Amino acid sequence: MQSTNKVITLDKIKKGEEFLITRFENKQLKCLSTRLGICEGQTFKCFYRCFGGPIILKKKFQEIAIGKKLAKSVQVKVV
Amino acid sequence: MSDKALSYVIAGNPNVGKSVVFNALTNTYRDVSNYPGTTVDIAKGSFENKTLIDTPGVYGIGSFSEEEKVTKDILLKYNKIINVVSAVSLERDLFLTQQLIDMGFELIVVLNQIDEAQARGIQVDIEKLQGTLGVDVYPTIATKKIGINHLKNNLNNFKQGNKTEAIEKLSELVTSSSNKNHYSSKEKVLFLEGDDSFDFTVEKAIDPDEIYTLRRNNVDNITKNCIEETLKDSRLSAKIGVLLLHPLWGSICALFILIALYQIIGVFLAGDVVGYFSDFVTNNINPFFSAIVTHFSNIEWLNQLLVGDYGVITFTAEIIIGIILPLVGGFYIFFSILEDSGYLPRLAVLCDRGLSYIGLNGKAIIPLILGFGCITMAVISSRTLSSKREKLITIVILSLAIPCSAQLGIILALLASVNHLWVTVVFISVILIVLLLVILILNKFLPGTSEPLILDLPVMRVPTLKNIIIKSYTKIYSFLIEAIPLFAVGSLVLGILSVTGGLAYIHVILQPVIVGFLKLPAETSDIFIMSLIRKDFGVSGLFGLAGVGEAQSFLTTAQILVCLVVTTLFVPCISSVIVMFKEIGWLQTLVIWLLSMVIALITGGILAFILSIVL
């Protein structure tokens, strides 16, 4: 089990886990994500993890795939 | 009135139905797909006395991709925007709406896909949304033309909306550093968001992220107040969407699609249907034209040019109607179903890991697959890739090793007619080895790395029959409009060479390469000359020499294999070259063109040598 207080990167999140985004290290990703409705301080669910590849976040009906390399630059906290 | 006042621009996120709204308003067909990147070029249509301009789908105005730059440049020229949003993804879509309002555009908001939203338990309070945004909102189901008439009747009610207060205050701090005050509020907002193409200064440093966050908070508040949700999330489409992302099931599905493509295009269309069409042209159309031409003319060389072996009329009809039309038609119908279902972005996610090894990200799969339809179209769609590096690698792959639908159909038919599994295995292996080597070299020596992926996945939908028919028809029509003149010119050139004896002379010149190096009969020179114009034109010639559907073949199995490899790797067709000029410049295009020819001939020579020893 992940510790609920520990900050990890998005690529470490498991399928089905809910998490809070604490920080985007990549400025461009931050802007692109903000447009799509993914912001720091919001909670999401890991909808799916492609084997060795992108993480799919789900927010209502919106599914957003984030490549593994980018996911490593997003800090999150499991909630 | 000025052109600016008479033009409305349609803008919105990808997959919200911009092109359907454009089609409905202008009665012109615009390609409509369930994946981002359909509208990579700008379409214009007219509505009453106004010009309507359709733009590529973007999530915001900025410079993150080529599409965004294109959209930004167009928007800055005009003032009135028809902003299409989807009721299903309003939270996402209103970011662009609010950005347009913050920039000071006059807007009409088209709230599309309200039926899908209702099916998912989403209710939008339109009155409240209008009040909060400060602009008119018109609900529509554009695919069923519901709400379109009401929209048409109110298409003059453009308004400037309610700006995000904090952003408005910040933009007042922006001044021109060169003391020019003619810059618009649009440009000032873009400057605050980090766009450095404007000559501005600001009293205090503002982080561009801050503007985005302020706007996002505003939009989140609007949606919280205007949307009522009782989400119904147990839809079959969501489950299918997940299945397609699964490494095993997703790959099986991709394999199943490839097998279906082979069976439909390679076996059924290229075999039975092409046979029927070819017979029809040979027995009905060509004798008809020959009779007309010979009735009016008894000049032998002219008759040869028009209705001879390479006659402009007969040869073009034989290739276009007899071979190309059934193959291209079949491919576009098949591809339209994939496009409209929402499968392609999922395939992009599935392929992301694999493509990252060759310097691309998953998004590149879309132009690569489009290439199996038409390389020209695929080169244009490579604009959706965010870096020049990825664009170049994708274009090289497209030029070198992806056969277009017409060429693919002929290759599949030839492979099926040879009926030896080893030929298919060797053909695919050789193409993949060459491709892999070229990509590895490019990936190693081109500076930079693959761009990371961020992709919004559209909802899986059942494609509508009407859209598939219209879309396939439009694509087939565009393909033929582009191909027929080139085929006719190609036939004419070959006809002139044939009549003047030039063809025999070229056979002699090319003999060391064709006969000596590639170990092919001298007649195959025609195939390579034809391939310079279009690859499918070349392989169509191979169709006859290999005796597909006939008892006698002029080529051995090894020679067919060599021809297939060389023509597949050969130079891109003329129309692709023209588009490549535009996309990556003449120098890179020229290098790709020359390299394709050298690689094709060397690979063919090596293969012919190995086959002559082994067989």
Side-chain angles (χ1 to χ4, degrees):
Chain A
M1 275 264 298
Q2 311 266 20
S3 158
T4 50
N5 295 318
K6 198 176 160 193
V7 173
I8 54 171
T9 49
L10 179 60
D11 61 305
K12 304 276 188 325
I13 285 290
K14 291 175 188 149
K15 184 184 166 187
E17 274 183 334
E18 287 201 21
F19 57 90
L20 178 90
I21 296 181
T22 55
R23 202 169 103 84
F24 286 100
E25 280 171 18
N26 183 312
K27 287 262 179 194
Q28 188 173 335
L29 175 66
K30 187 177 178 180
C31 287
L32 290 172
S33 304
T34 307
R35 286 173 172 187
L36 295 172
I38 306 170
C39 305
E40 289 169 357
Q42 289 187 340
T43 306
F44 297 90
K45 188 175 178 180
C46 174
F47 177 60
Y48 195 77
R49 275 189 66 107
C50 295
F51 178 69
I55 317 284
I56 318 283
L57 313 185
K58 185 150 185 158
K59 190 180 180 188
K60 292 174 189 167
F61 294 112
Q62 216 181 329
E63 290 170 24
I64 293 145
I66 297 183
K68 199 175 178 184
K69 213 194 277 180
L70 267 188
K72 282 182 182 169
S73 72
V74 184
Q75 294 181 355
V76 298
K77 232 189 246 184
V78 179
V79 293
Chain B
M1 266 202 284
S2 69
D3 180 46
K4 191 173 162 178
L6 289 170
S7 301
Y8 301 159
V9 181
I10 299 187
N13 284 209
N15 305 314
V16 295
K18 287 183 304 301
S19 299
V20 194
V21 171
F22 176 86
N23 297 340
L25 290 174
T26 59
N27 293 323
T28 333
Y29 181 74
R30 182 83 187 126
D31 206 343
V32 179
S33 298
N34 190 15
Y35 79 100
T38 306
T39 316
V40 282
D41 258 339
I42 307 305
K44 282 189 181 180
S46 58
F47 168 73
E48 291 176 356
N49 58 343
K50 311 284 193 309
T51 303
L52 237 62
I53 302 162
D54 194 15
T55 58
V58 290
Y59 300 107
I61 311 297
S63 304
F64 287 120
S65 70
E66 201 67 35
E67 291 163 292
E68 279 191 24
K69 285 179 197 162
V70 169
T71 306
K72 182 182 82 176
D73 290 344
I74 295 166
L75 288 173
L76 287 177
K77 285 183 199 156
Y78 300 95
N79 203 34
K80 296 184 189 325
I81 315 287
I82 300 169
N83 174 220
V84 185
V85 297
S86 167
V88 182
S89 51
L90 207 52
E91 218 169 312
R92 179 198 72 186
D93 298 0
L94 284 183
F95 185 89
L96 175 65
T97 309
Q98 191 59 54
Q99 188 181 23
L100 292 168
I101 291 173
D102 289 339
M103 289 171 77
F105 286 105
E106 291 177 33
L107 242 64
I108 276 179
V109 172
V110 178
L111 182 67
N112 195 28
Q113 299 170 345
I114 48 169
D115 52 340
E116 278 190 42
Q118 278 163 2
R120 283 149 205 262
I122 301 170
Q123 287 291 341
V124 183
D125 187 332
I126 293 168
E127 290 292 318
K128 214 182 248 182
L129 186 62
Q130 285 192 143
T132 326
L133 290 174
V135 297
D136 283 6
V137 177
Y138 298 97
T140 58
I141 307 169
T143 47
K144 295 176 186 164
K145 295 211 168 185
I146 295 173
I148 295 295
N149 277 339
H150 184 54
L151 173 66
K152 279 181 178 174
N153 294 336
N154 291 281
L155 215 47
N156 291 314
N157 297 343
F158 289 92
K159 286 176 193 157
Q160 282 198 340
N162 302 326
K163 294 181 180 178
T164 309
E165 209 175 311
I167 297 177
E168 197 178 9
K169 279 184 183 158
L170 284 172
S171 68
E172 281 165 12
L173 303 177
V174 178
T175 50
S176 165
S177 54
S178 53
N179 292 326
K180 288 177 193 163
N181 291 316
H182 63 271
Y183 291 109
S184 66
S185 60
K186 296 168 188 145
E187 291 162 332
K188 285 181 180 175
V189 172
L190 285 176
F191 170 75
L192 283 175
E193 289 173 5
D195 196 321
D196 53 10
S197 49
F198 306 106
D199 189 17
F200 288 135
T201 52
V202 66
E203 285 172 29
K204 63 165 190 169
I206 296 164
D207 190 345
D209 302 349
E210 199 184 317
I211 306 294
Y212 268 53
T213 308
L214 285 168
R215 183 175 299 128
R216 171 47 64 194
N217 291 341
N218 185 19
V219 168
D220 286 351
N221 281 333
I222 295 171
T223 47
K224 208 184 284 173
N225 291 329
C226 303
I227 299 176
E228 219 173 88
E229 294 167 322
T230 44
L231 301 182
K232 299 168 189 167
D233 199 12
S234 60
R235 288 172 60 95
L236 183 65
S237 68
K239 288 178 184 160
I240 295 172
V242 172
L243 196 75
L244 294 172
L245 294 169
H246 191 276
L248 178 65
W249 299 118
S251 306
I252 289 175
C253 184
L255 193 67
F256 174 77
I257 288 169
L258 283 178
I259 293 171
L261 185 75
Y262 174 76
Q263 285 297 329
I264 294 169
I265 298 180
V267 179
F268 174 65
L269 287 172
D272 302 342
V273 181
V274 163
Y276 175 78
F277 274 66
S278 293
D279 286 348
F280 181 74
V281 174
T282 316
N283 300 328
N284 299 289
I285 298 179
N286 283 353
F288 171 74
F289 283 118
S290 295
I292 293 178
V293 170
T294 46
H295 178 76
F296 288 103
S297 148
N298 53 6
I299 307 165
E300 183 55 27
W301 64 265
L302 182 64
N303 294 356
Q304 273 293 318
L305 274 186
L306 294 174
V307 292
D309 284 347
Y310 292 111
V312 175
I313 299 171
T314 45
F315 194 54
T316 308
E318 217 171 288
I319 291 180
I320 293 281
I321 304 172
I323 302 173
I324 305 289
L325 185 63
L327 298 178
V328 173
F331 180 86
Y332 279 133
I333 293 170
F334 192 86
F335 191 74
S336 301
I337 298 170
L338 291 185
E339 276 184 333
D340 283 13
S341 64
Y343 172 66
L344 293 178
R346 281 165 180 84
L347 186 64
V349 171
L350 190 69
C351 297
D352 185 60
R353 189 185 179 201
L355 287 173
S356 69
Y357 293 125
I358 57 167
L360 298 171
N361 76 29
K363 272 193 208 173
I365 199 73
I366 292 172
L368 291 180
I369 289 190
L370 270 174
F372 285 103
C374 173
I375 303 291
T376 312
M377 190 169 73
V379 171
I380 296 172
S381 80
S382 68
R383 267 185 217 169
T384 52
L385 304 175
S386 38
S387 79
K388 280 186 181 164
R389 183 181 193 272
E390 290 184 356
K391 197 168 160 177
L392 186 63
I393 295 178
T394 307
I395 290 176
V396 169
I397 298 175
L398 286 168
S399 315
L400 196 63
I402 306 279
C404 70
S405 53
Q407 196 191 352
L408 181 70
I410 297 164
I411 290 170
L412 291 176
L414 282 163
L415 290 174
S417 78
V418 170
N419 204 18
H420 291 302
L421 183 65
W422 71 266
V423 176
T424 309
V425 173
V426 172
F427 172 72
I428 295 173
S429 308
V430 171
I431 300 294
L432 285 180
I433 290 168
V434 172
L435 186 62
L436 211 64
L437 281 174
V438 172
I439 291 169
L440 287 176
I441 292 168
L442 280 175
N443 195 23
K444 183 144 183 70
F445 293 105
L446 283 176
T449 54
S450 69
E451 287 281 308
L453 176 89
I454 175 161
L455 193 63
D456 189 45
L457 302 179
V459 175
M460 293 293 294
R461 292 191 182 108
V462 178
T464 59
L465 185 65
K466 190 181 163 197
N467 197 30
I468 287 170
I469 293 170
I470 300 174
K471 177 197 288 240
S472 310
Y473 168 78
T474 315
K475 285 190 171 164
I476 295 164
Y477 179 77
S478 310
F479 188 95
L480 293 180
I481 289 293
E482 185 203 291
I484 289 173
L486 287 173
F487 275 55
V489 169
S491 303
L492 186 66
V493 171
L494 283 173
I496 292 170
L497 287 171
S498 175
V499 168
T500 55
L503 211 52
Y505 186 66
I506 291 175
H507 289 171
V508 174
I509 294 175
L510 293 177
Q511 198 154 353
V513 178
I514 305 293
V515 181
F517 188 54
L518 296 176
K519 303 187 191 311
L520 297 171
E523 292 77 24
T524 46
S525 312
D526 301 355
I527 297 169
F528 301 110
I529 298 166
M530 285 149 77
S531 292
L532 286 172
I533 299 161
R534 282 182 68 98
K535 282 186 186 180
D536 46 346
F537 192 40
V539 274
S540 304
L542 190 54
F543 222 69
L545 280 175
V548 177
E550 290 162 26
Q552 198 191 358
S553 168
F554 296 96
L555 300 172
T556 64
T557 305
Q559 286 172 333
I560 293 175
L561 181 56
V562 172
C563 280
L564 280 177
V565 167
V566 178
T567 47
T568 303
L569 297 172
F570 213 54
V571 296
C573 68
I574 287 176
S575 46
S576 303
V577 169
I578 294 167
V579 174
M580 280 161 65
F581 265 137
K582 225 165 81 181
E583 296 295 325
I584 53 172
W586 67 270
L587 185 62
Q588 286 180 344
T589 306
L590 186 68
V591 171
I592 291 173
W593 195 89
L594 289 172
L595 271 180
S596 303
M597 187 180 286
V598 172
I599 290 170
L601 293 175
I602 290 177
T603 311
I606 293 171
L607 181 65
F609 177 71
I610 294 171
L611 289 172
S612 70
I613 295 171
V614 176
L615 294 177

